[in-house]
Amino acid sequence: MYNDISFITLFKSVEYVKKYLYERYKEAGFSSPKELAFQNSYSFVYYIELGQSYFEQGKKAPLSIKPVLFFYGLSHWLKGALLTIDPNYPATTQVLAHGVSTRKRKKQGYRFLTDEIKIQKEGFYPYVSKSLFNIKELTGEKYKMRHLIMSIPELAFLIEKFEGESILIQVNKVQNKVYAPLSLLKKMKITPRRFELMIKEKTNTIVQCIEKEENLIISYSGNNDKNNFPLYYNLNDKKYYLPSVPHLYLKIPEILSHFLLLYNLSMICRYETEWWGELLYSFSSNDRPYIQSFLDCTERKTPYLMESLFKAK
């Protein structure tokens, strides 16, 4: 189980943060990086500190309000990450709005897993996607909660238990190469060349695939924490996985799946009181175990993903 949040320990020191930001700004080619680092060091520390406060309270809070606390905790950490690449953040009020939307009123018979979230043209989420992960042209795209849940490897067991579907295949990662069994292609009924094209089309990541004996060797460039190659790391078993179904090759990295799920859940528990109460206390559907398992997972996984993101910079 991952409990280490060493990036928070380091970022409690303003002196360390000044050096950290200076290196980031200097590497990015900003003029006067030393002055910018001095100017932003306290804001950065406060973003990280507030994020930790929200998360620590979220761990202690009842399930009914956990989503709100975790959502604001992750939002503050992402704001800190933005400050490492944009010394003027927030430059306009446009980047402060959420940048995503859900159905305002839930219909009768509403199920969380079938709900969708829509990406707007401007706001915090599209700005994070573009600035931190170089993901563009997301306006109008929709993500189903089911697909976001399925993109978190620690939750794959729920899909297998409730729906009888195996959605991930274990792979081995050695530097920038992934060794996957050929059964991955057989299950998706595609060729290595079609797999390459699918990855490029769905995630904007260029990979090269070679069949060798019983393995598919997938090579990609860059740091996996900074690109969108959907290589999922499971904190529970310390192993890597690739999706065995095409619709899980999302454009977005896992940390943004956590953000979107937390956003929707935080809106539901604040504004859909009747449905949220029924979910918590009636135990009438599979929605509750999915949601509770996700919140248990994000409590541990979000700090890990954020630390990986800060280290990748």
Side-chain angles (χ1 to χ4, degrees):
M1 183 180 294
Y2 182 84
N3 288 310
D4 181 26
I5 45 176
S6 59
F7 79 95
I8 291 176
T9 302
L10 293 172
F11 293 155
K12 287 180 181 289
S13 165
V14 171
E15 287 304 310
Y16 175 83
V17 166
K18 286 178 185 176
K19 294 176 183 177
Y20 178 82
L21 292 178
Y22 169 74
E23 293 297 331
R24 302 291 80 74
Y25 296 155
K26 182 181 178 183
E27 183 182 349
F30 288 108
S31 59
S32 305
K34 191 172 184 179
E35 288 78 3
L36 289 172
F38 179 83
Q39 170 188 312
N40 288 326
S41 57
Y42 278 97
S43 294
F44 181 87
V45 168
Y46 296 152
Y47 281 138
I48 302 303
E49 187 72 13
L50 280 171
Q52 182 187 19
S53 295
Y54 277 117
F55 250 81
E56 291 302 322
Q57 291 304 310
K59 291 177 183 179
K60 304 171 187 175
L63 177 64
S64 57
I65 59 173
K66 276 182 183 288
V68 177
L69 295 168
F70 287 155
F71 173 70
Y72 283 120
L74 175 54
S75 296
H76 278 77
W77 282 340
L78 288 173
K79 288 175 183 177
L82 283 173
L83 205 57
T84 67
I85 59 171
D86 180 2
N88 297 312
Y89 175 81
T92 69
T93 56
Q94 291 176 328
V95 299
L96 298 178
H98 288 128
V100 292
S101 61
T102 58
R103 256 188 235 115
K104 298 302 180 186
R105 294 295 299 172
K106 308 307 180 188
K107 298 178 181 178
Q108 188 173 6
Y110 168 80
R111 294 293 301 276
F112 178 73
L113 290 188
T114 60
D115 200 3
E116 290 183 332
I117 197 163
K118 185 177 181 180
I119 311 304
Q120 298 175 341
K121 183 178 181 180
E122 295 177 336
F124 182 70
Y125 179 84
Y127 190 69
V128 165
S129 301
K130 179 180 177 182
S131 301
L132 293 179
F133 304 103
N134 197 32
I135 305 173
K136 303 172 184 177
E137 301 175 1
L138 281 175
T139 305
E141 287 201 19
K142 296 179 181 179
Y143 292 94
K144 283 188 176 180
M145 298 300 104
R146 182 174 184 270
H147 293 165
L148 295 174
I149 287 281
M150 292 169 77
S151 72
I152 299 172
E154 291 84 354
L155 305 181
F157 77 97
L158 287 172
I159 303 295
E160 194 164 343
K161 291 291 185 184
F162 288 140
E163 303 182 28
E165 184 180 1
S166 179
I167 58 174
L168 298 176
I169 287 184
Q170 184 188 333
V171 299
N172 293 316
K173 177 180 177 292
V174 181
Q175 295 181 334
N176 285 2
K177 285 186 172 60
V178 174
Y179 296 82
L182 288 178
S183 57
L184 175 68
L185 297 184
K186 291 178 182 177
K187 185 167 183 180
M188 291 195 286
K189 299 179 181 179
I190 58 176
T191 63
R193 176 57 179 161
R194 183 69 193 100
F195 183 83
E196 291 175 350
L197 293 173
M198 181 191 73
I199 295 293
K200 183 178 180 182
E201 176 187 341
K202 288 180 172 287
T203 72
N204 296 323
T205 304
I206 296 175
V207 300
Q208 290 182 326
C209 299
I210 299 173
E211 289 186 69
K212 189 173 182 181
E213 298 176 350
E214 293 300 312
N215 285 319
L216 177 71
I217 304 175
I218 307 165
S219 303
Y220 62 93
S221 60
N223 187 318
N224 189 57
D225 295 311
K226 295 184 74 174
N227 66 31
N228 308 312
F229 182 56
L231 181 62
Y232 299 125
Y233 181 69
N234 188 323
L235 276 179
N236 294 337
D237 61 15
K238 307 294 189 294
K239 294 176 181 177
Y240 288 96
Y241 293 84
L242 279 177
S244 58
V245 285
H247 61 253
L248 289 187
Y249 285 84
L250 306 176
K251 284 184 179 180
I252 61 176
E254 187 183 339
I255 190 66
L256 294 187
S257 292
H258 286 255
F259 179 90
L260 292 176
L261 285 162
L262 286 172
Y263 169 79
N264 198 11
L265 286 171
S266 71
M267 294 297 283
I268 289 170
C269 73
R270 280 180 286 172
Y271 302 115
E272 298 292 338
T273 307
E274 184 178 347
W275 185 85
W276 187 237
E278 184 177 342
L279 168 84
L280 294 178
Y281 306 116
S282 72
F283 308 96
S284 59
S285 74
N286 290 338
D287 278 345
R288 170 153 179 160
Y290 275 114
I291 291 171
Q292 185 159 6
S293 296
F294 164 68
L295 292 172
D296 290 342
C297 173
T298 203
E299 177 181 314
R300 296 176 288 112
K301 192 73 177 284
T302 293
Y304 166 80
L305 293 171
M306 285 305 306
E307 179 162 36
S308 298
L309 180 61
F310 281 116
K311 282 182 177 179
K313 294 192 169 304

